[in-house]
Amino acid sequence: MTGIGLFAGHQYQIAFVLLVGVGLYTMIDAKNLVKKVIGLNIFQVGLFLFLVSSGYLAGAGPAIIDGEGRYVNPLPHVLILTAIVVGVSLTALALALIIRVYDEYGTLDEEHIQEVMDGD
Amino acid sequence: MTVALELALVVFVVSTAVATAVLRDIVASIAVFAAFSLGISVIWLVLQAPDVALTEAAVGAGIMSVLLLVTVAKTARASDEGALVSVNPRALAAVGLLLLVLVSTVPALPEVGSEEAPALQKTVDGELTPYGYYVEEAYNETGVENSVTAVLVYYRGFDTFGEATVVFSAVVGVLVALGGSRRWGEE
């Protein structure tokens, strides 16, 4: 019971750890290149969750200022907005390169690509 | 009530992420990934980040799924045997080791939502922190009610400029990469 109590109030940080793990595992293990890109995105979202939750204040409103009040920290939101757009740019570029790889090798499977390269 | 909702969302997001990883069919993976993005954007709402939630729903669940599906349509939908991928014990061990290290640091972090968190101190040694400044002074200085917009455009405008540069570079990169593509050009 104390083991669980140690993690009370940390549910988002636990989710961050798990998402980073799932994303990393997908990037290492997935044979399909498109799947690796999805893994990269899951990894990113895990980090976003860690940063946004660090600026969260229980019972506070969003950082829209109207007089005195309690607000969450707007800075992580700003950084994550930028990071989401950069992440999409990165994904678009990676997918364009994957289409080129398919043109050259006729497969998206990591091991088949290696076989084709060795066969040349 | 709120705690139950938070836990339900966290469980939903983590399980859709795991499903994305273990499904072998790439189109099924992409569909579950879209559900994952939607779950995450609800979490942003719960964390009082409506701007991030809107961007995530439009970009993460919308544009990203379209990009991934277009890529699959232009390439191949591998249909190997079995619905689930087999577990790679070495990758699992490596990731498990990292997770063990990360989880052991979690109890030392400030609780999410607590007023004691370092990111939520308005002053340190009598001086305003960035958080204190954005909440206390940003409206008087910029006249923008939404302090996320105020910070994005007014205080950290160079970040946004850098972001625009990254998007431009990515578009140039995509055009260069697909410019020599036979399949893409002939249609």
Side-chain angles (χ1 to χ4, degrees), chain A residues 11 35 63 70-71 100 103, chain B residues 6 23 115 131 147 177 181:
Chain A
Q11 61 273 40
K35 193 97 172 270
R70 299 165 83 230
Y71 303 106
R100 283 292 288 143
D103 276 356
Chain B
E6 286 180 342
L23 283 171
E115 291 188 359
Y131 168 60
S147 59
S181 166

Side-chain angles (χ1 to χ4, degrees), chain A residues 9-13 17 25-26 29 35 41 45 56 58 62-63 65 70-71 73 77-78 81 88 100 103 108, chain B residues 6 20-21 23 29 48 55 59 64 75 88 99 109-110 112-113 115 119-120 131 145 147 152 177 180-183:
Chain A
H10 292 290
Q11 61 273 40
Y12 292 116
Q13 286 146 353
V17 171
Y25 179 81
T26 310
D29 182 55
K35 193 97 172 270
N41 276 292
V45 167
Y56 176 62
I65 312 295
R70 299 165 83 230
Y71 303 106
N73 191 338
H77 303 183
V78 174
L81 278 178
V88 171
R100 283 292 288 143
D103 276 356
L108 288 183
Chain B
E6 286 180 342
T20 307
L23 283 171
S29 247
Q48 304 295 334
T55 311
V59 165
M64 196 81 90
T75 57
N88 175 346
L99 291 200
L109 292 168
V112 171
E115 291 188 359
L120 294 166
Y131 168 60
E145 281 178 5
S147 59
L152 195 66
S181 166
R182 291 187 299 272
R183 281 161 212 279

Side-chain angles (χ1 to χ4, degrees), chain A residues 6-22 24-26 28-29 31-32 34-35 37-38 41-46 48-50 52-58 60-66 68-93 95-100 102-104 106 108-109 112, chain B residues 6-7 10 13-14 17-18 20-24 26 29-30 33 36 40 43-44 46-52 55-56 59 63-64 67-68 71-72 74-76 85-88 91-92 95 98-99 102-103 106-107 109-115 117 119-120 122 130-131 134-136 139 145-148 151-152 156 159 163 166-167 170 173-174 177-178 180-184:
Chain A
L6 210 56
F7 292 101
H10 292 290
Q11 61 273 40
Y12 292 116
Q13 286 146 353
I14 294 291
F16 144 70
V17 171
L18 292 175
L19 290 182
V20 163
V22 171
L24 191 63
Y25 179 81
T26 310
I28 296 174
D29 182 55
K31 298 286 175 282
N32 188 317
V34 177
K35 193 97 172 270
V37 174
I38 297 178
N41 276 292
I42 294 177
F43 190 100
Q44 277 183 341
V45 167
F48 298 166
L49 189 57
F50 178 74
V52 171
S53 66
S54 75
Y56 176 62
L57 179 58
I64 295 167
I65 312 295
D66 48 359
E68 284 301 305
R70 299 165 83 230
Y71 303 106
V72 298
N73 191 338
L75 186 57
H77 303 183
V78 174
L79 299 179
I80 297 315
L81 278 178
T82 307
I84 288 176
V85 176
V86 169
V88 171
S89 307
L90 194 81
T91 305
L93 187 56
L95 292 177
L97 290 172
I98 285 173
I99 291 177
R100 283 292 288 143
Y102 186 77
D103 276 356
E104 295 297 324
L108 288 183
D109 188 297
H112 291 167
Chain B
E6 286 180 342
L7 280 179
V10 163
V13 162
V14 171
V18 171
T20 307
V22 298
L23 283 171
R24 192 187 285 276
I26 189 69
S29 247
I30 293 169
F33 180 68
F36 164 80
I40 274 288
I43 285 193
W44 298 148
V46 172
L47 289 174
Q48 304 295 334
D51 308 78
V52 184
T55 311
E56 179 76 38
V59 165
I63 296 177
M64 196 81 90
L67 284 178
L68 290 167
T71 307
V72 173
K74 289 283 166 192
T75 57
V85 295
S86 50
V87 173
N88 175 346
L92 200 63
V95 171
L98 175 77
L99 291 200
L102 284 178
V103 164
V106 164
L109 292 168
E111 278 186 25
V112 171
S114 127
E115 291 188 359
L120 294 166
K122 287 188 176 173
Y131 168 60
Y134 294 148
V135 171
E136 305 284 342
Y139 179 66
E145 281 178 5
N146 185 342
S147 59
V148 172
V151 176
L152 195 66
R156 300 190 71 92
D159 276 10
E163 174 191 334
V166 169
V167 173
V174 168
L178 292 181
S181 166
R182 291 187 299 272
R183 281 161 212 279
W184 196 274

